Amino acid sequence: MKQKETLSNIQLNGDGKIEMIDVLIDEMGDNHVMTSVETPMRTDAFALSDDEKIAAIEKHFEAIMNTLGLDLTDDSLKGTPHRVAKMYVKEIFQGLNPANMPKMALFENKYKYNEMLVEKNISFYSNCEHHFVPIMGRAHVAYISNGKVIGLSKLNRLVEYFAKRPQVQERLTMQIGKKLQEVLGTNDVAVVIDAKHLCVSSRGVKDESSSTVTAFYNGVFKDEARKAEFLKYLEFKTEF
Ligand SMILES: Nc1nc2c(ncn2[C@@H]2O[C@H](COP(=O)(O)OP(=O)(O)OP(=O)(O)O)[C@@H](O)[C@H]2O)c(=O)[nH]1
Ligand SMILES: [Zn+2]
């Protein structure tokens, strides 16, 4: 993208909040939201309803299939453009829409539990934004309460929400970490993700055995002892 103009400090209503962002306007006059951990989205990303998006994507996917020479009158293929469109908008990319952000149940830390809480082995599926093929992995999330505790399932739901976008693993990791900091009102958050990218294993270099590890450590988790404690918990092998 060739940048033509940058507008700073534009306010957007993201997750129900007003955010300060930068918007780049390219040579074609298209707007691109640019913040470091934000998914790059056009400012008119939600001008179309979900149903309108499904109808448009269906047409585009039909064109792809036609171009590949597939016979769209075939009984098994004819519903595919609609299936793919519905899957994109309502399932695998539904996390693009802030309206689908899960509700965060927060409670008072009345037990004064001041050690770390680790939610580990959160399995997720995402899709690589470079090839649009799956990423599958496990996220491990930890925080230390600053007065609030969060419903456990909300940690899983938050991972799922950000995973349901075209992603790179670095950004996915940071989006989860930063949102948790915001929700919990603390910097003391850690996220580790170990994931397999099908763009690396099923095509391209075709490496079946490698996986990718990314980490977000902030607040007390920058301390080596805390980090080591967190990583030690990830090694526990408990059969349930
Ligand atoms: N940093 C990062 N890279 C990723 C991620 N997912 C996929 N990639 C890489 O994105 C790169 C895209 O490289 P390109 O050379 O443009 O694409 P390509 O020709 O399909 O490359 P190959 O995958 O090597 O065949 C590849 O190296 C992918 O492995 C991710 O989450 N993070
Ligand atoms: Zn890829």
Side-chain angles (χ1 to χ4, degrees):
M1 176 185 66
K2 246 183 154 180
Q3 179 185 338
K4 191 177 169 205
E5 192 184 342
T6 306
L7 305 176
S8 291
N9 299 333
I10 288 190
Q11 297 185 337
L12 252 204
N13 197 337
D15 312 327
K17 291 202 160 94
I18 302 295
E19 286 186 284
M20 305 304 271
I21 56 158
D22 285 345
V23 173
L24 299 191
I25 301 181
D26 67 19
E27 285 183 324
M28 308 296 288
D30 285 343
N31 294 352
H32 302 265
V33 176
M34 302 296 287
T35 52
S36 53
V37 310
E38 290 295 321
T39 300
M41 301 277 289
R42 296 164 52 94
T43 50
D44 61 356
F46 304 106
L48 295 181
S49 68
D50 280 2
D51 285 346
E52 287 168 330
K53 286 182 185 180
I54 290 171
I57 293 169
E58 183 177 333
K59 288 277 161 263
H60 295 311
F61 206 79
E62 195 177 297
I64 290 173
M65 291 177 72
N66 268 323
T67 307
L68 290 172
L70 292 164
D71 177 3
L72 279 153
T73 65
D74 179 84
D75 185 35
S76 171
L77 293 180
K78 69 175 183 230
T80 298
H82 182 71
R83 276 192 286 271
V84 170
K86 186 161 62 97
M87 175 182 76
Y88 275 14
V89 175
K90 294 292 193 188
E91 296 179 292
I92 66 175
F93 299 137
Q94 64 160 314
L96 286 173
N97 190 341
N100 295 325
M101 163 80 74
K103 277 207 270 318
M104 293 287 120
L106 293 171
F107 309 97
E108 290 305 318
N109 183 13
K110 52 180 178 250
Y111 312 109
K112 304 277 179 270
Y113 176 75
N114 293 326
E115 295 299 326
M116 71 178 72
L117 183 140
V118 181
E119 185 77 0
K120 65 179 194 172
N121 293 324
I122 301 172
S123 58
F124 69 85
Y125 284 94
S126 185
N127 284 275
C128 138
E129 72 182 15
H130 297 149
H131 300 91
F132 274 44
V133 295
I135 303 169
M136 47 202 177
R138 301 236 167 154
H140 315 285
V141 172
Y143 77 97
I144 296 177
S145 174
N146 183 24
K148 298 273 180 212
V149 299
I150 187 168
L152 296 178
S153 66
K154 307 306 177 189
L155 298 170
N156 304 58
R157 286 185 190 283
L158 199 65
V159 170
E160 191 187 19
Y161 169 71
F162 286 114
K164 289 195 180 308
R165 297 177 172 194
Q167 278 291 11
V168 286
Q169 191 172 323
E170 296 92 325
R171 190 175 63 223
L172 173 63
T173 309
M174 294 193 67
Q175 286 179 333
I176 297 165
K178 283 183 175 279
K179 179 52 74 177
L180 267 178
Q181 288 186 323
E182 182 190 317
V183 168
L184 291 162
T186 177
N187 283 336
D188 301 337
V189 167
V191 181
V192 166
I193 292 182
D194 188 2
K196 201 161 177 59
H197 293 238
L198 261 62
C199 67
V200 173
S201 60
S202 75
R203 58 154 298 283
V205 74
K206 290 201 183 112
D207 185 318
E208 301 253 350
S209 55
S210 62
S211 71
T212 306
V213 178
T214 43
F216 172 99
Y217 297 116
N218 213 345
V220 299
F221 287 96
K222 286 197 174 295
D223 177 65
E224 288 305 321
R226 281 297 198 180
K227 202 181 283 184
E229 181 189 348
F230 169 52
L231 295 175
K232 190 84 198 151
Y233 295 143
L234 302 190
E235 289 172 13
F236 285 6
K237 294 267 179 289
T238 317
E239 298 296 334
F240 295 102

